Amino acid sequence: MPQDGPDHLDDAVLAALFTQRAVGLAVLDPQLRLVHANSLVEGVDTAEYLGSRITDVFRLDDPDATEQLMKRALAGEGPVRDHLVRGRLRRIPGDRMFLVSAYRLDGPGGGDAPALGLLAAVVDVTERERARTREAALAAVRDAVGHSLDVAATCRAFVDALVPGFADLAVIEVVDEVLRGADPPVGPLPPETPLRRAASGRCGTVRDTGRAGEDARRSLDGATRRLPLRTPYALAVADLRPRLVPLTGDTPWLDADPDGARAVAESGAHSLIVVPLTLRGAVLGLVSLYRCCAAEPFDEDDVSLADAAGTRVALGIDNARRYEREHIIASTVQRRLLPQVEREQTAVETAHVLLPGRDSGCWYDTIPLSGARTALVVGGVAGEGLQAAIVMGQLRTVVQALAGLDLEPEEVLARLKDTTDRLAHERTALPAGDSLQSEPLIAGCVYGVYDPFTRTCTVARAGHPAPLAVGPDGRAVALDVPEGPGLFSADSALFAPATVTLEEGSVLALCTAELLSGDRAAERITRTLARPDRSLRQLGDDIVYALPEDTRSAGAALLLARTGAVSDHRVATWDLDQDLTAPATARALVRDRLRDWGLDEDTVEATELIVSELVTNAVRYGTPPLRLRLLLDATLTCEVHDGSTAAPHLRHARTVDEDGRGLFIVSRLASHWGARRGRDGKVLWTEQELPDGG
């Protein structure tokens, strides 16, 4: 057994420590100069560094902070453990990262005596930290990208995830047609294909060119360009492969791209990765990543990361593109299903605002009714995309059909809900794999009827906000409408109407729930409406200007109506006796009034016959009081009111029948006719088209 004492063992331990290469060891004197070291970094001769200060050996980015830590260790304040430093070595290009630990070397007197120096352990963790940076960058891309269905937001999230942690400067460009929802072209990308800059970003260390340069860079977001030929950008979208490109002052391809050369010079970029954004062989765009100034150049591992990140953002862009295309289709369907022209009403002025957004199920309508009345409708189907627009079109059609039956507002909504119940049942009957099975049906509607003769508005609502009303003096008008169940809800409660009397010149606002979101939204809208000097179009615009930003992105519908009255010169009303002389009296009254209005003889004769038949029917089958009213507007309306609620129906009389032809004759002479019930009886009415100039 060898005679090895403690001193020999210590020498053996020191020899092993200083000859192994896993950890660099350095002995520093109290002035932090290197007095002994093994190979601090593999492949570097440490003899040339002896006598140099440790902070000079590694040329640290922040030497003062590291020196202060080591001085505290010398003073006995505890060792330095795993302190990460960045610096450079003379013989190894580029930045390096080291973990430094330092321990005080005590003299014979122990901790009370001055320290002999420090023992520093140095581990080169450059590759480990670079791998960690790449992993963190890829994780940031995975976390940030894919949560938005907006192409611009997706690209912005991608740039923010990579800058500044992975790249100093990043630019993402998307094929222009893809931004509008079109299918991406199959690679290789044709040379003249325009690309639009969707997002860009730079870290604070990139060389700046002042305020003008910053403004110019911001203005480039949204700009389009065609990729210059014989450049890495054009080659990447031609063969669909990423590229690692060093940038120097004599890089030859920069001559073919003067704008790119100028940007490289201004930013100090020296390393470039170009990644084509591809998906299933189609090209969606291009990503350009730059490192500038003192940053470490990209390597092949960085290219692999950039390629993986590009795949992630390409998926996000494609999902957003598909949504954008569906949104465009849904918005187009929605527009086609809504009124295409403003309808002029007899005694009410209307205007609408339709805000485009995610919600494609909003609708509005103004429906002329008999007796110069107007139905005002606003509704919404919750959801995005084509299916919401289709359901909206179905509901709007049903409302129009029900309005033509002259039903009360609560009856219209009750029958509309019957229809939605059937639609919901049809959806539940779809195959289990149909995507519509998982999409809930939610819809609401408010339906009101304004009568200019009584100056009343009767409103009912189904899971929808009540209208807001402002009088001509600017004061809010209370309109307390009980809320009925939503159109697709399982609630079977009845709809209850509310009736309010409005002064001439009052303004009604019917809107979807999105416009009433936020603090004191109803008060804000009511205050905006209290301006009688403004047109309805201006009032609608003012309401939109005051909306929160998130409301505008959701989409909404607003219908404004200003109440009016029928001119006394355009209406005539007579009370008739309930006897056999009433038809003849009615014919004489009608003849005189229509001639006063200057109508042609054919219209006068046809109207006499219509009125005679309607009054005869009321005398035979109705009850007092008997009233006749004529209304001259775009059409000529005849109304006969009696106290009975029993409405007649059209019959086709046989050849030998002595009666039953009255309503048949009326239907031939009038363009429209019908009957509506009220609380005090019924009204038979007809509308006749007037000849030009009538």
Side-chain angles (χ1 to χ4, degrees), residues 32 36 90 130 140 151 170 213 242 281 333 346 368 483 492 528 561-562 572 574 595 597 615-616 634 642 670 686:
L32 304 181
H36 184 60
R90 259 178 248 163
R130 287 177 180 171
V151 174
V333 171
T346 301
E483 182 175 3
S492 59
T528 303
R562 179 172 281 138
W574 301 278
R595 286 175 177 171
W597 282 342
V615 172
T616 298
D642 72 84
T686 65

Side-chain angles (χ1 to χ4, degrees), residues 232-306:
Y233 314 108
L235 293 176
V237 295
D239 61 13
L240 309 187
R241 296 181 180 277
R243 277 170 169 72
L244 173 60
V245 184
L247 302 174
T248 62
D250 57 353
T251 299
W253 59 266
L254 287 175
D255 294 337
D257 185 11
D259 293 338
R262 184 167 53 255
V264 167
E266 291 176 354
S267 63
H270 58 75
S271 186
L272 165 66
I273 292 178
V274 181
V275 179
L277 299 179
T278 62
L279 200 63
R280 297 180 290 274
V283 182
L284 290 88
L286 184 72
V287 169
S288 303
L289 304 173
Y290 301 83
R291 282 187 179 167
C292 309
C293 303
E296 187 75 11
F298 290 119
D299 59 23
E300 291 297 335
D301 291 332
D302 295 325
V303 175
S304 298
L305 178 142

Side-chain angles (χ1 to χ4, degrees), residues 311-330:
T311 300
R312 177 74 178 189
V313 74
L315 284 170
I317 292 173
D318 190 59
N319 288 337
R321 174 194 68 82
R322 292 173 183 271
Y323 169 79
E324 181 67 20
R325 180 171 62 182
E326 182 175 345
H327 176 66
I328 291 173
I329 295 172

Side-chain angles (χ1 to χ4, degrees), residues 166-229:
F166 180 74
D168 297 322
L169 176 62
V171 177
I172 180 168
E173 299 167 289
V174 180
V175 174
D176 195 34
E177 291 185 353
V178 171
L179 287 171
R180 292 191 287 271
D183 290 331
V186 177
L189 195 68
E192 294 302 312
T193 303
L195 279 76
R196 186 176 297 274
R197 180 180 287 200
S200 63
R202 63 173 56 210
C203 68
T205 60
V206 176
R207 204 155 60 208
D208 204 346
T209 56
R211 175 74 182 214
E214 180 64 23
D215 291 343
R217 283 191 298 274
R218 289 178 180 174
S219 68
L220 286 176
D221 285 349
T224 59
R225 71 161 177 162
R226 288 170 173 79
L227 299 179
L229 299 176

Side-chain angles (χ1 to χ4, degrees), residues 31 38 74 85 130 211 213 274 357 383 410 451 496 501 512 530 573 589 646 648:
Q31 287 72 42
N38 67 352
L74 280 171
V85 298
R130 287 177 180 171
R211 175 74 182 214
V274 181
E410 65 273 21
D451 187 338
T501 300
T512 52
T573 305
L589 293 171

Side-chain angles (χ1 to χ4, degrees), residues 379-553:
V381 178
E384 305 172 7
L386 185 59
Q387 291 302 322
I390 291 173
V391 175
M392 178 273 289
Q394 291 174 311
L395 299 188
R396 178 176 178 247
T397 301
V398 173
V399 169
Q400 286 184 318
L402 293 174
L405 299 177
D406 273 322
L407 302 175
E408 294 296 323
E410 65 273 21
E411 293 184 67
V412 170
L413 293 187
R415 298 194 184 190
L416 179 62
K417 190 171 188 311
D418 290 340
T419 300
T420 59
D421 290 344
R422 287 193 292 272
L423 292 175
H425 179 71
E426 290 176 0
R427 178 165 291 194
T428 60
L430 292 172
D434 196 302
S435 60
L436 290 181
Q437 282 276 20
S438 60
E439 294 185 15
L441 282 169
I442 301 173
C445 179
V446 58
Y447 183 94
V449 175
Y450 174 68
D451 187 338
F453 292 105
T454 61
R455 291 189 292 107
T456 59
C457 185
T458 302
V459 182
R461 60 189 180 117
H464 196 281
L468 304 174
V470 174
D473 57 358
R475 289 184 296 181
V477 177
L479 193 57
D480 187 14
V481 185
E483 182 175 3
L487 293 178
F488 287 99
S489 72
D491 191 349
S492 59
L494 299 177
F495 296 98
T499 301
V500 62
T501 300
L502 299 172
E503 296 182 51
E504 186 177 347
S506 299
V507 177
L508 281 165
L510 292 76
C511 56
T512 52
E514 290 77 10
L515 294 183
L516 293 173
S517 61
D519 295 337
R520 309 178 76 173
E523 180 181 334
R524 181 182 67 244
I525 294 176
T526 302
R527 188 170 57 250
T528 303
L529 296 176
R531 302 182 63 182
D533 58 315
R534 306 277 284 177
S535 69
L536 289 184
R537 178 66 60 199
Q538 291 171 328
L539 291 178
D541 291 346
D542 291 342
I543 291 173
V544 173
Y545 298 152
L547 289 177
E549 288 296 330
D550 55 350
T551 303
R552 302 179 195 184
S553 63

